[in-house]
Amino acid sequence: MTTMPLEPLDVRMIPPVVRHATIFGILERLPPGESFSIVNDHDPAPLRRQIEARYPGTYSWTYIVQGPEIWQVEIGRGEANGADCGGHDEGHACTCGH
């Protein structure tokens, strides 16, 4: 099934206190092989470090625009490889980095 790409998520409109939680919620529901992008007013490098710490090697990170006023990043979830991490129900194809 082919899906249309999502519009970039403008995180400047999300209150800072819930910004990363909102992005992590999207990441956790993102199907393997899919991606979405965010727009911010600064380099979201701290978010990248949090994603890599929580889900090592699971998500890609590609800068589309690198400032100085607007930053846009595409975040993609890798394809499911069929591995079972042991952190889910039996048979779950893990892409979460557990």
Side-chain angles (χ1 to χ4, degrees):
M1 177 173 88
T2 303
T3 57
M4 297 299 293
L6 298 174
E7 290 292 321
L9 175 64
D10 190 342
V11 299
R12 299 171 295 177
M13 304 300 148
I14 300 172
V17 70
V18 295
R19 195 172 288 169
H20 284 196
T22 300
I23 294 167
F24 275 104
I26 294 168
L27 288 176
E28 291 166 0
R29 291 188 308 275
L30 193 65
E34 297 291 325
S35 64
F36 75 105
S37 66
I38 62 170
V39 174
N40 205 356
D41 58 3
H42 64 275
D43 185 355
L47 173 66
R48 182 181 194 177
R49 289 190 294 272
Q50 286 181 336
I51 292 170
E52 188 58 31
R54 186 181 275 185
Y55 307 107
T58 302
Y59 295 95
S60 62
W61 181 276
T62 305
Y63 285 100
I64 298 168
V65 179
Q66 289 186 284
E69 295 176 17
I70 300 291
W71 295 77
Q72 185 173 353
V73 175
E74 182 179 82
I75 306 168
R77 186 170 190 169
E79 293 287 341
N81 62 8
D84 186 356
C85 72
H88 304 284
D89 294 332
E90 186 176 329
H92 172 81
C94 181
T95 59
C96 71
H98 282 131

